[in-house]
């Protein structure tokens, strides 16, 4: 019985890594005042590039015409805007990603979208 448990643990240690890449794409008119900022977020991809393509597709499926990828991340990501600035963030938690986006934006910003894989 002990041998089976050790074998199971050894197999888990060498298992393929989990899919962990995500991205956020937005269609923002650039002034940050609009509440109508379109976006797409996609997680669970094998690469950041694949996540970016999926986020763009999601943004466009939501009816947005001018989508662009603003952040690719491994764990969590966020996008914030103000009337004059925007910021993106990433990190090991949604809280960390949101804080980075706020700081990059200048502090007086609202989070439009955030999420984790």
């Amino acid at each position: 019985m002990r041998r089976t448990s050790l074998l199971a643990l050894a197999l888990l240690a060498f298992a393929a890594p989990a899919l962990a890449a995500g991205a956020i794409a937005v269609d923002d008119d650039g002034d940050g005042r609009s509440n109508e900022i379109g976006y797409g977020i996609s997680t669970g991809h094998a690469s950041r590039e694949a996540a970016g393509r999926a986020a763009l597709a999601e943004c466009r499926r939501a009816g947005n015409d001018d989508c662009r990828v603003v952040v690719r991340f491994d764990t969590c990501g966020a996008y914030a805007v103000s009337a004059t600035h925007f910021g993106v963030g990433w990190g090991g938690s949604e809280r960390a990603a949101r804080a980075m986006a706020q700081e990059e934006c200048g502090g007086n910003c609202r989070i439009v979208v955030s999420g984790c894989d």
Side-chain angles (χ1 to χ4, degrees):
M1 186 93 145
R2 181 166 167 81
R3 178 176 274 180
T4 303
S5 296
L6 290 176
L7 178 60
L9 288 174
L11 289 174
L12 285 174
F14 293 105
L19 300 177
I24 297 172
V26 299
D27 181 355
D28 185 355
D29 61 10
D31 69 7
R33 289 181 285 251
S34 172
N35 287 326
E36 298 298 321
I37 296 172
Y39 65 86
I41 182 169
S42 189
T43 60
H45 298 276
S47 71
R48 290 178 180 180
E49 292 75 24
R53 287 189 301 272
L56 276 174
E58 183 67 28
C59 185
R60 290 176 182 141
R61 265 195 304 276
N64 304 293
D65 297 324
D66 194 23
C67 299
R68 71 188 191 292
V69 175
V70 292
V71 65
R72 293 177 175 91
F73 52 87
D74 291 326
T75 306
C76 299
Y79 176 72
V81 296
S82 73
T84 58
H85 296 85
F86 75 92
V88 297
W90 58 89
S93 69
E94 190 166 0
R95 183 177 180 176
R98 291 170 70 96
M100 180 188 279
Q102 285 279 7
E103 183 176 334
E104 186 178 304
C105 186
N108 190 20
C109 305
R110 68 183 173 93
I111 300 292
V112 173
V113 59
S114 65
C116 297
D117 188 45

